[in-house]
């Protein structure tokens, strides 16, 4: 069993409040969940900052190449969005 985790730090320049930030984050999570099944996606840090968000994404699979490829595709998909900029993305693969 292989578990892949990606931590994505986002800058959301157009937000002026926590409410507008949460709308952007909620939309992002819904779009990723709609496109990629069997992933866990959640905001995991910086909930009180209105122009920054940290999203955690995890996937489980039988092969590390498969899981890593899936997480790379998710990041590529996220880069297409114009509501935010990806500042940093760290992928960890855990073989169990």
């Amino acid at each position: 069993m292989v578990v892949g985790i990606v931590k994505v730090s986002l800058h959301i320049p157009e937000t002026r409040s926590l409410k507008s930030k949460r709308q952007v984050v909620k939309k992002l999570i819904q779009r990723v969940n709609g496109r990629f099944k069997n992933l866990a996606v959640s905001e995991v840090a910086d909930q009180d900052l209105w122009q920054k968000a940290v999203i955690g994404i995890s996937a489980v699979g039988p092969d590390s190449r498969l899981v890593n490829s899936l997480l790379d595709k998710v990041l590529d998909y996220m880069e297409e969005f114009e509501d935010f900029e990806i500042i940093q993305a760290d992928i960890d693969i855990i073989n169990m």
Side-chain angles (χ1 to χ4, degrees):
M1 177 171 76
V2 178
V3 178
I5 302 165
V6 62
K7 179 180 172 184
V8 186
S9 297
L10 306 174
H11 178 247
I12 311 168
E14 299 299 318
T15 60
R16 300 289 179 241
S17 68
L18 286 175
K19 183 177 180 180
S20 63
K21 173 206 170 175
R22 288 188 182 110
Q23 290 174 342
V24 171
V25 170
K26 183 178 179 180
K27 181 179 173 183
L28 165 65
I29 291 171
Q30 288 174 339
R31 290 175 77 182
V32 169
N33 279 330
R35 174 82 180 259
F36 299 93
K37 306 299 181 197
N38 300 323
L39 292 178
V41 184
S42 181
E43 183 177 10
V44 295
D46 295 332
Q47 287 94 342
D48 294 334
L49 300 177
W50 48 275
Q51 287 192 325
K52 185 177 179 194
V54 179
I55 305 297
I57 304 168
S58 64
V60 177
D63 180 273
S64 62
R65 288 179 296 171
L66 180 75
V67 172
N68 195 35
S69 174
L70 175 61
L71 294 176
D72 284 338
K73 288 177 185 175
V74 172
L75 290 173
D76 290 343
Y77 178 67
M78 288 174 62
E79 291 204 4
E80 297 175 7
F81 300 162
E82 297 180 3
D83 296 339
F84 56 83
E85 173 187 357
I86 295 176
I87 299 170
Q88 184 175 356
D90 299 316
I91 295 178
D92 288 324
I93 303 294
I94 303 165
N95 292 295
M96 303 195 72

